[in-house]
Amino acid sequence: MAISPALLQELEEKRKTLYLAGGADKLAERKKKGLMSARERLDAFFDAGTFMEFGLHVQHDCQNFGLAGKPMPADGVITGVGYVEGRPVAAYAQDFTVGGGSLGSKHAQKICNLMEYAMKAGMPFVGVNDSGGARIQEGDEALSGYGKIFFRNVLASGVIPQITVIAGPCAGGAAYSPALTDFIIMTKKNAQMFICGPEVIKAATGQTVTMDEIGSAAAHAAISGNIHFVAEDEKHALQIATKLLSFLPSNNVMDPPHKPAATVTLDRDIEMNELVPEDAKAPLDVTKVISRLVDNGDFLEVQKDFAKNIVICFARIQGISVGIIANQPAHKAGTLDIDASDKAARFIRFCNVFNLPIVNLVDVPGFLPGVVQERGGIIRHGAKMLFAYASATVPKITVIMRKAYGGAYLAMCPVDMGADAVYAWPTAEIAVMGAEGAVKVLFKREITSAADPSAKEKELTAEYRKKFCAPYEAASRGFITDVIEPAQTRGIVAMMLRNTLSKRETRPPKKHGNIPL
Ligand code: HXC
């Protein structure tokens, strides 16, 4: 006895028809535009031959506006599970050739079912969006579908990593599912994301604006801060997703994929000493420090084009997967402003929820002064960093490279904000404010009454800097674990990371804290 060949043929034919999606013409049209089909996208993402599809045969049951009986293969979204570098990941790709990838109730149900499976099984969830939005014919059923997805995005937040690739239109409320996920990767070509498009803006406000100005990857990466990575094309977007996943655990109860060597190397890296400019005021490009600190100079920078005064990235330090938060003195002198605070705070919370140790590199002169900042709520935004660091129970290691002044010092995770170890370079200056400012406040009379006020001010500043800002002052009061040579940083941070990986810290039980939003 064997299964009838007719049944196998029927299965084969059904699959063939469904794989044709919106039809050979539509697939060819996409190819001509240089775009991959939804299936090609998932094939490019998953390890060869590992993709298992869920719900290929699902069909809509909408009877409205010409949809009755109209075939919609897979209801316009391919869903399933495959392996990415050997680890299981759940993913969907919206199929623009089927009803413009529009979302109806079955399409939404497939995404929700997959999300629920990913949460149960504890695997990351990746979505490739390319859709005309709510399927107009399905009306409130389509809206309800979005609601169900948003709800599950929130349930999954902090349980499994969620990544969205925007590789086509993503309009109106549809943009809120990506916004609820952890990371958004957007392609330069063919992708737009917006709540109200140029025509609606024109009608409502009279303002003329182009789609590029409000909805392109470039605009979201540099101005709105809505997205985290810009990709050249969809293939590149999926490569970024793969790289991102390589640093992350599959879920919140697993450790990240650390790859520690048998022993920690404490070798000095002399070139690190050379990176520090002799002149304390000369800017230091912190990405050069990060390159030397991490394995093979390899780090994945997140939101590279947004709030450049702070750098956030994933990397490995002697095999330990970490999140790094670093002031960037080469941009706005490394000050913390509204956007930098938002950027860093969300990253800290991501690292904490997925068990990634945090390494902080500090060279911060303070919060950015200005009316725009004060009126924009820098107090509320800056407080996010304090809240995020204090709430984080993962290993937290801080290296004070140079300036660490005032409230910004506290916002960069010193020992009082829960750092497990704080190292300072001999070039570190820890104070309420810079020596120049402090001397002006404290010695106004001495300076103005001196024979040569400018020389007096210089002399007092040098004396003040030496006496009150040097790291040995803070170290003598127990605020610094040790003062180290820059060359020792990689070895010491690596050793401290290893030592602290087993850290267990609890917080008072509560529903959740109330982070200033
Ligand atoms: C049903 C849709 C659709 C939609 C596109 N199609 N969008 N069908 N509902 N929302 C269909 C088209 O009828 C067409 O069908 C096929 O998809 C391809 O669309 P084209 O217009 O031919 O493609 P293109 O010229 O590339 O333009 C793509 C587009 C445009 C820019 C996305 O289709 C468009 O503007 N669509 C409407 C977008 C929109 O306003 N959506 C609602 C957003 S608000 P055929 O059969 O001819 O191939 C929203 C609210 C969510 O989503 C709320 C959540 C809370």
Side-chain angles (χ1 to χ4, degrees):
M1 288 287 280
I3 187 164
S4 115
L7 283 179
L8 291 180
Q9 196 183 340
E10 184 189 18
L11 173 61
E12 187 58 32
E13 271 163 19
K14 276 196 185 295
R15 280 185 181 153
K16 227 165 149 183
T17 314
L18 293 168
Y19 287 167
L20 264 183
D25 292 353
K26 284 199 168 155
L27 288 173
E29 210 176 290
R30 275 184 83 76
K31 204 168 221 142
K32 226 162 101 189
K33 286 186 187 161
L35 297 170
M36 292 164 113
S37 72
R39 279 183 194 283
E40 283 168 344
R41 286 171 173 169
L42 291 182
D43 280 348
F45 183 46
F46 288 121
D47 299 349
T50 64
F51 179 58
M52 286 173 55
E53 186 162 352
F54 295 1
L56 169 66
H57 301 275
V58 168
Q59 275 292 332
H60 72 89
D61 50 15
C62 178
Q63 301 297 314
N64 298 334
F65 309 112
L67 264 197
K70 185 177 172 180
M72 297 277 249
D75 207 38
V77 63
I78 320 294
T79 55
V81 172
Y83 282 71
V84 175
E85 296 191 326
R87 295 191 301 162
V89 174
Y92 72 83
Q94 292 180 310
D95 187 343
F96 196 82
T97 68
V98 176
S102 59
L103 182 139
S105 70
K106 291 290 190 297
H107 179 127
Q109 195 181 45
K110 283 180 72 176
I111 295 176
C112 289
N113 288 349
L114 187 69
M115 243 191 263
E116 283 171 13
Y117 174 79
M119 272 189 272
K120 275 190 291 191
M123 64 178 72
F125 185 77
V126 176
V128 183
N129 283 32
D130 189 348
S131 165
R135 188 174 294 156
I136 296 161
Q137 299 92 327
E138 295 205 36
D140 53 10
E141 288 282 356
L143 295 184
S144 159
Y146 276 114
K148 290 184 167 89
I149 293 173
F150 299 168
F151 189 81
R152 282 158 186 77
N153 282 136
V154 176
L155 293 186
S157 181
V159 179
I160 48 172
Q162 297 181 81
I163 300 171
T164 310
V165 171
I166 310 283
C170 185
Y176 284 115
S177 173
L180 289 168
T181 63
D182 297 305
F183 298 101
I184 302 179
I185 306 164
M186 193 164 168
T187 56
K188 276 186 185 169
K189 214 174 73 177
N190 193 49
Q192 312 95 36
M193 185 167 62
F194 54 89
I195 296 296
C196 299
E199 294 86 27
V200 176
I201 292 178
K202 178 82 184 169
T205 69
Q207 283 174 300
T208 305
V209 72
T210 64
M211 181 57 83
D212 269 1
E213 285 171 300
I214 55 156
S216 64
H220 286 305
I223 301 162
S224 71
N226 283 333
I227 70 164
H228 303 83
F229 302 95
V230 177
E232 290 303 318
D233 55 25
E234 56 237 288
K235 204 167 200 169
H236 183 216
L238 295 163
Q239 283 163 353
I240 294 171
T242 301
K243 173 106 184 173
L244 182 52
L245 289 170
S246 77
F247 296 106
L248 312 182
S250 294
N251 58 61
N252 63 333
V253 293
M254 283 174 82
D255 281 334
H258 301 306
K259 297 173 183 163
T263 52
V264 172
T265 310
L266 288 171
D267 293 351
R268 291 163 77 244
D269 172 13
I270 294 302
E271 281 181 47
M272 193 72 122
N273 285 353
E274 268 139 45
L275 280 183
V276 189
E278 226 175 290
D279 176 1
K281 283 201 181 130
L284 166 79
D285 179 359
V286 82
T287 58
K288 292 192 174 144
V289 175
I290 295 171
S291 289
R292 298 214 69 82
L293 180 65
V294 304
D295 297 354
N296 310 313
D298 181 27
F299 60 96
L300 179 65
E301 194 171 343
V302 182
Q303 289 188 299
K304 194 175 180 176
D305 302 322
F306 181 69
K308 291 181 179 175
N309 35 337
I310 202 149
V311 172
I312 55 175
C313 62
F314 294 108
R316 283 195 171 76
I317 300 179
Q318 297 201 23
I320 306 299
S321 196
V322 295
I324 298 177
I325 295 122
N327 305 118
Q328 174 54 291
H331 196 83
K332 290 188 186 169
T335 50
L336 292 178
D337 61 1
I338 290 170
D339 287 345
S341 303
D342 284 5
K343 173 176 164 179
R346 185 144 199 262
F347 186 69
I348 295 161
R349 285 166 71 82
F350 178 83
C351 291
N352 186 47
V353 86
F354 288 111
N355 312 317
L356 281 145
I358 296 171
V359 175
N360 310 298
L361 300 176
V362 185
D363 186 358
V364 65
F367 285 97
L368 180 67
V371 177
V372 172
Q373 292 293 311
E374 296 298 332
R375 292 173 67 110
I378 184 62
I379 295 174
R380 169 166 49 96
H381 292 275
K384 294 177 195 185
M385 286 189 73
L386 297 166
F387 200 106
Y389 272 129
S391 326
T393 55
V394 287
K396 295 180 284 192
I397 296 170
T398 300
V399 178
I400 303 179
M401 302 179 297
R402 304 201 298 174
K403 297 172 292 301
Y405 297 157
Y409 156 68
L410 292 170
M412 285 303 297
C413 200
V415 77
D416 304 291
M417 296 304 292
D420 299 293
V422 178
Y423 295 100
W425 289 354
T427 44
E429 288 184 23
I430 300 146
V432 170
M433 60 175 83
E436 288 82 359
V439 162
K440 277 192 177 75
V441 175
L442 294 175
F443 304 108
K444 204 188 288 176
R445 222 165 284 135
E446 283 88 331
I447 292 167
T448 44
S449 61
D452 182 346
S454 154
K456 184 73 185 167
E457 188 174 338
K458 260 195 188 145
E459 177 199 321
L460 284 168
T461 303
E463 200 180 318
Y464 184 91
R465 176 171 284 122
K466 197 155 183 231
K467 265 198 185 148
F468 297 107
C469 304
Y472 306 102
E473 283 303 310
S476 74
R477 279 184 283 277
F479 300 129
I480 303 291
T481 310
D482 201 1
V483 182
I484 62 170
E485 211 184 308
Q488 294 176 283
T489 310
R490 181 169 149 82
I492 286 178
V493 169
M495 180 66 107
M496 203 53 198
L497 279 169
R498 292 266 183 121
N499 294 344
T500 320
L501 270 189
S502 50
K503 172 183 176 184
R504 290 287 176 268
E505 198 172 88
T506 53
R507 292 287 185 274
K510 54 184 152 183
K511 198 164 178 184
H512 60 74
N514 190 12
I515 187 166
L517 294 173

